[in-house]
Amino acid sequence: MSAGYRELLAPGRRWLLAAAGGASFVAASDVLLVATALPSAARDLGGLDRYALVVGCYAAALAVGLPISGAVIDRYGAWHSLVFGCALFATAGVLAPFVPAMEWLAALRLVQGFAAGFLLAVPLSVVVQRIPKDLQRPAYALSNSVWAIAALAGPVLGAVLTDLLSWRAAFLVPVAMTAAVAYAGYRGLRDPDVAPADPHARIHPLGPLLLGATVAALLLDPRLAPLPAIGFLLSEWRSSSPVFPRTRAGRAVALLCGTAGIAFTGADGFVPLGLQVGLGWPILVAAIPLVGTTAAWASGSFVSARLPLSRRTQMALALAIVVVGVGLMGLPLLDGRTLAIGIVVAAFGMGIQSPVALLSSAAERPSGEGRATASVPLARSIGGGIGIALAGVIVVGHVGQAALDAARDQHDGVPAIADAVQRADLVLAGLCLLSLPAVLLLRREDRA
């Protein structure tokens, strides 16, 4: 272990890092665990056409929870965000196994997505606000490794529980973790000697609510999306505490992270559907690419800390890798295995982007790091919601409602679904590529 990591893991920081890592662990394991179990839930509840709605509701609510939690952390501290997120997340998780229809599951995932926003903001703010600057890069790498361990376990647990018991059992595992995380937060985050970053920070829910409403409208009826989208832009323009840093570089980071989210999250959200329902892969085999994405993301984060490149160059490299990976997923080669290979490649690019995006965003809003760092996963979440909604429209439009209904009872694979997922991936990769020139708006002096 290097001297930097030994200093980072000194006794005085262990509970602090346990709380931050635990928040990541719950959120990361839940996302991939549920992703693995969701195709089985959709078949059981008769709602394959509602698959995108369940996945997208989580992203829509995350877009609301993240910026609000960032302001809560700046004003009150990370403990308040953690305990609220754990309580709300656990409550919805206990109810999820008993839902009678996909619409009910979507509503509970909406609640859990909002709670996850409060959990995911904790590790980001802990690193920026409580870790010395010379230890922040290894702290981000350590945080990503904890996320990676959780995400490695998520698909495996989801596959095993769904295969041996039921998809309903898979929803209960993250709930059991929240008590331990809350205890770690009690020990590590309730420090009276640590003052909030900005005791006078104002919490403006209007902008986040309009963002969430935009993503929700895209999922339900895209014709309704322009109204809340315009409302958000007006709110963001007039707000004294905007959701995204109000600088050229800050907006560029948000755009690049958002389009990466469109491509990666939109593609990743449909990997289980494409492999399990489209190609007929057994659930345990279909979980392997999701495990691979976690390892690739963690590897990318560690590589990012060692690249002797400017932040501008590193962001360009990361986005290019995401485009290549998602584009590869769209190629009808290797009997559909490109879906599994390409998502791993794209995850490596997302891992490279993460540390540099967080540091670049934090530099754009001094004394408001909680809100600034929360804007990175927020931009990805918004992009992810857009990507999921767009992919859902393409899949349903290409396959047709009748074929989706018939697929409920087919277990040998429905090639039309795999083909539709790949078509959607090509569109998502193209949209991501269009944002590449935005790297020129980043600060020249920033170094990774």
Side-chain angles (χ1 to χ4, degrees):
M1 183 183 293
S2 67
Y5 284 103
R6 284 196 298 271
E7 187 178 352
L8 182 65
L9 296 172
R13 296 193 184 97
R14 288 177 183 172
W15 283 113
L16 180 71
L17 292 173
S24 291
F25 195 96
V26 170
S29 61
D30 168 76
V31 169
L32 290 177
L33 191 153
V34 170
T36 307
L38 192 56
S40 297
R43 275 177 159 161
D44 186 33
L45 297 174
L48 281 171
D49 59 319
R50 294 295 186 181
Y51 185 93
L53 178 65
V54 176
V55 177
C57 275
Y58 190 93
L62 193 63
V64 180
L66 271 168
I68 293 177
S69 64
V72 168
I73 289 173
D74 284 339
R75 183 167 182 172
Y76 300 109
W79 163 245
H80 291 79
S81 179
L82 182 73
V83 71
F84 176 80
C86 284
L88 192 62
F89 190 94
T91 300
V94 167
L95 297 174
F98 306 103
V99 296
M102 286 287 278
E103 289 80 3
W104 286 97
L105 189 59
L108 290 176
R109 291 301 285 172
L110 192 76
V111 174
Q112 285 194 306
F114 182 72
F118 282 76
L119 294 177
L120 288 173
V122 170
L124 306 179
S125 67
V126 163
V127 172
V128 173
Q129 295 178 359
R130 299 201 184 189
I131 301 297
K133 288 190 178 298
D134 61 320
L135 297 177
Q136 286 183 359
R137 195 166 289 277
Y140 278 126
L142 184 64
S143 177
N144 274 290
S145 67
V146 171
W147 180 90
I149 293 171
L152 281 169
V156 176
L157 279 174
V160 171
L161 289 170
T162 303
D163 195 42
L164 297 181
L165 297 174
S166 165
W167 63 266
R168 299 177 190 273
F171 279 78
L172 292 175
V173 173
V175 174
M177 305 173 188
T178 56
V181 174
Y183 177 74
Y186 180 83
R187 294 291 302 273
L189 295 177
R190 296 176 75 252
D191 188 345
D193 296 327
V194 177
D198 184 4
H200 305 291
R202 298 185 64 185
I203 301 173
H204 298 277
L206 179 60
L209 285 171
L210 288 169
L211 266 179
T214 302
V215 176
L218 287 170
L219 293 164
L220 295 170
D221 187 344
R223 294 171 297 180
L224 302 176
L227 186 59
I230 293 171
F232 168 73
L233 293 175
L234 292 174
S235 172
E236 186 80 345
W237 181 263
R238 300 179 59 183
S239 175
S240 60
S241 183
V243 171
F244 300 107
R246 192 175 285 164
T247 64
R248 186 180 70 172
R251 289 168 177 164
V253 171
L255 177 61
L256 292 167
C257 290
T259 52
I262 288 175
F264 178 79
T265 308
D268 187 55
F270 280 81
V271 166
L273 185 70
L275 296 180
Q276 292 181 44
V277 181
L279 299 178
W281 286 21
I283 187 170
L284 288 170
V285 178
I288 294 175
L290 298 181
V291 173
T293 62
T294 302
W297 190 308
S299 299
S301 295
F302 281 104
V303 168
S304 174
R306 291 164 175 77
L307 287 176
L309 303 174
S310 69
R311 292 180 183 172
R312 175 185 287 189
T313 302
Q314 200 168 130
M315 288 285 279
L317 174 64
L319 197 72
I321 294 174
V322 172
V323 170
V324 169
V326 177
L328 178 62
M329 294 175 69
L331 300 180
L333 305 173
L334 304 175
D335 296 325
R337 292 184 180 89
T338 52
L339 279 172
I341 298 170
I343 197 61
V344 175
V345 174
F348 183 73
M350 295 296 286
I352 291 178
Q353 186 191 73
S354 292
V356 67
L358 291 167
L359 292 172
S360 297
S361 186
E364 299 302 316
R365 187 178 279 173
S367 300
E369 295 93 342
R371 285 162 288 171
T373 53
S375 70
V376 171
L378 170 63
R380 285 179 175 169
S381 178
I382 296 166
I386 294 171
I388 290 165
L390 179 58
V393 169
I394 294 173
V395 169
V396 173
H398 178 71
V399 178
Q401 186 64 52
L404 285 172
D405 292 339
R408 176 181 178 181
D409 300 318
Q410 297 181 36
H411 298 282
D412 295 330
V414 183
I417 291 180
D419 181 56
V421 170
Q422 290 186 310
R423 291 190 180 199
D425 291 336
L426 286 176
V427 174
L428 298 176
L431 288 175
C432 187
L433 182 63
L434 292 176
S435 71
L436 190 58
V439 298
L440 299 176
L441 302 177
L442 299 178
R443 296 182 186 275
R444 287 181 177 274
E445 67 273 18
D446 283 345
R447 294 287 172 183

